[in-house]
Amino acid sequence: MLFRVRLLIAAVVVAALGWSAWWWIGASAQRAALEGWLEARRADGWTAEADALRVGGYPNRFDAVLSGLRLADPRGGWAWEAPELRSFMLSYVPNRVILALPARQTFRAGALSGALEADELRASAAVAPGLGLELERAVIEGRGLRLIADEGWRAEAARGLLALRRSPRAQGLANAYDVALALGALGLPRQAADALAGLWDEGASLDADMIAAFDAPLDRRAAEGRAPRLTHLRILSARAGGAALRLEAKGELAFDAQGRPEGRLDLRVSDWRAALEALRRAGRIAAADARDAQWVLSLLAGGADALEAPLRFASGGVFLGPLRLGPAPRLGIAAARRGAPG
């Protein structure tokens, strides 16, 4: 009996030592991988610095903490700083990670710079096993989100969610991902809010279900400086607005190497009469002008409550039927690449 007890104790000790050795090897490998990634980015011309790097979480997790993190890619035209970034990974499921993001982080993307603040902000991701580390799914969610631009404007959302996964429903699109976006109690920048006075209320929201395709997979190389370029965007449904204004959109756009779109978007205003009345009550349009606008919009809507407008994007412009409304907006990422400092 005593021999069996000793044997059991010995087995437990050996197992504990073996697991401890495994955790130490894994933690050391994670630390080396993070330090190696920062060093490789510096060799590529980035700013990639961290004041401190710690790995803990024994016995079942690999928890990494990077303090004073500063990343910038001059060629890509972006920069990001965070006082602290925490990652959590189960030692026996190393291809899934959770990130806890700080309450305030600063950024620069092309001409836009500022800070992102949040009461709570976290992300999770799962990658395919193997050296490529291709993204399988990712979720970013937060509460009390505030985007504060250095130019002086700000936008807010009480809650937000962005989710991606490798798309099982993309027909004829390579490197395609399902994208879900939801922003609740969305507060617009003051200039936009003033322009939409009477239409945009505190309960306004934005929801979108899309499929995005890129010229390369979202994998390890994307984190090493070669950001995949968006080539197609298929909007299955998108809804924005509140009590007075409800917009819907669907369609498909293709983007060239300069970020110029081609394709079609079908826009729909669910109750244009209510939106027009809200503008009149807010003093954004005179009563006489509102009557004239109602007559014109009623003709365009064919007497229906919903007003539909198919927009065509071609040759660098936006068209409503044969009428050219103006130049088509280009992707911000493409613009940032062109304007990147040397």
Side-chain angles (χ1 to χ4, degrees):
M1 183 66 178
L2 183 59
F3 173 76
R4 292 180 179 178
V5 172
R6 289 177 175 173
L7 184 61
L8 178 59
I9 293 174
V12 170
V13 170
V14 170
L17 290 174
W19 183 260
S20 298
W22 157 252
W23 183 91
W24 182 83
I25 292 172
S28 299
Q30 186 182 56
R31 181 183 181 90
L34 291 171
E35 291 175 339
W37 187 85
L38 292 172
E39 184 176 353
R41 301 291 70 75
R42 290 192 292 269
D44 288 340
W46 289 31
T47 296
E49 304 289 346
D51 293 338
L53 169 59
R54 306 187 306 275
V55 178
Y58 179 84
N60 294 320
R61 298 198 315 263
F62 299 135
D63 298 345
V65 181
L66 291 96
S67 302
L69 183 59
R70 300 175 297 278
L71 299 175
D73 179 8
R75 287 173 296 181
W78 64 267
W80 177 71
E81 294 187 14
E84 186 175 84
L85 177 65
R86 293 176 174 265
S87 70
F88 309 92
M89 181 189 305
L90 291 172
S91 56
Y92 48 88
V93 190
N95 64 325
R96 299 181 184 178
V97 64
I98 295 174
L99 298 176
L101 296 159
R104 178 182 172 87
Q105 48 195 299
T106 59
F107 69 90
R108 176 176 56 82
L112 177 63
S113 62
L116 175 62
E117 297 179 349
D119 296 340
E120 181 181 5
L121 185 60
R122 62 177 54 211
S124 63
V127 299
L131 297 178
L133 302 179
E134 182 177 354
L135 182 68
E136 290 188 332
R137 62 184 180 276
V139 177
I140 304 174
E141 54 186 331
R143 296 184 301 104
L145 303 173
R146 298 172 296 277
L147 178 62
I148 305 170
D150 289 340
E151 294 179 347
W153 59 264
R154 61 186 290 157
E156 302 179 353
R159 56 195 176 277
L161 171 72
L162 175 64
L164 296 89
R165 67 169 184 176
R166 283 200 292 187
S167 179
R169 53 181 180 164
Q171 299 175 353
L173 295 178
N175 304 315
Y177 299 83
D178 292 337
V179 181
L181 173 65
L183 295 172
L186 180 60
L188 298 178
R190 181 177 298 276
Q191 185 175 2
D194 290 344
L196 293 174
L199 297 179
W200 201 267
D201 54 68
E202 293 181 355
S205 62
L206 170 64
D207 299 277
D209 178 17
M210 304 172 286
I211 299 175
F214 301 85
D215 65 347
L218 302 180
D219 58 12
R220 186 186 67 186
R221 287 171 294 182
E224 293 177 347
R226 198 288 184 191
R229 180 177 61 83
L230 181 65
T231 57
H232 286 81
L233 184 64
R234 185 176 294 166
I235 302 175
L236 304 177
S237 67
R239 297 176 296 275
L245 178 66
R246 295 186 297 278
L247 300 174
E248 300 177 17
K250 63 179 180 179
E252 184 164 359
L253 298 173
F255 299 89
D256 64 14
Q258 286 70 46
R260 293 175 298 196
E262 291 208 2
R264 171 173 167 152
L265 282 182
D266 294 321
L267 303 183
R268 186 175 189 269
V269 182
S270 296
D271 191 345
W272 62 267
R273 290 185 177 88
L276 187 61
E277 176 61 18
L279 286 175
R280 187 194 65 77
R281 289 198 305 269
R284 306 297 296 180
I285 184 172
D289 294 335
R291 287 192 297 269
D292 293 340
Q294 182 169 346
W295 180 77
V296 173
L297 293 175
S298 182
L299 289 177
L300 293 175
D305 291 334
L307 178 63
E308 298 183 354
L311 298 181
R312 182 171 56 89
F313 295 79
S315 303
V318 185
F319 297 83
L320 178 60
L323 179 63
R324 189 178 191 274
L325 302 180
R330 297 191 182 189
L331 284 180
I333 293 177
R337 283 177 178 168
R338 291 192 305 274

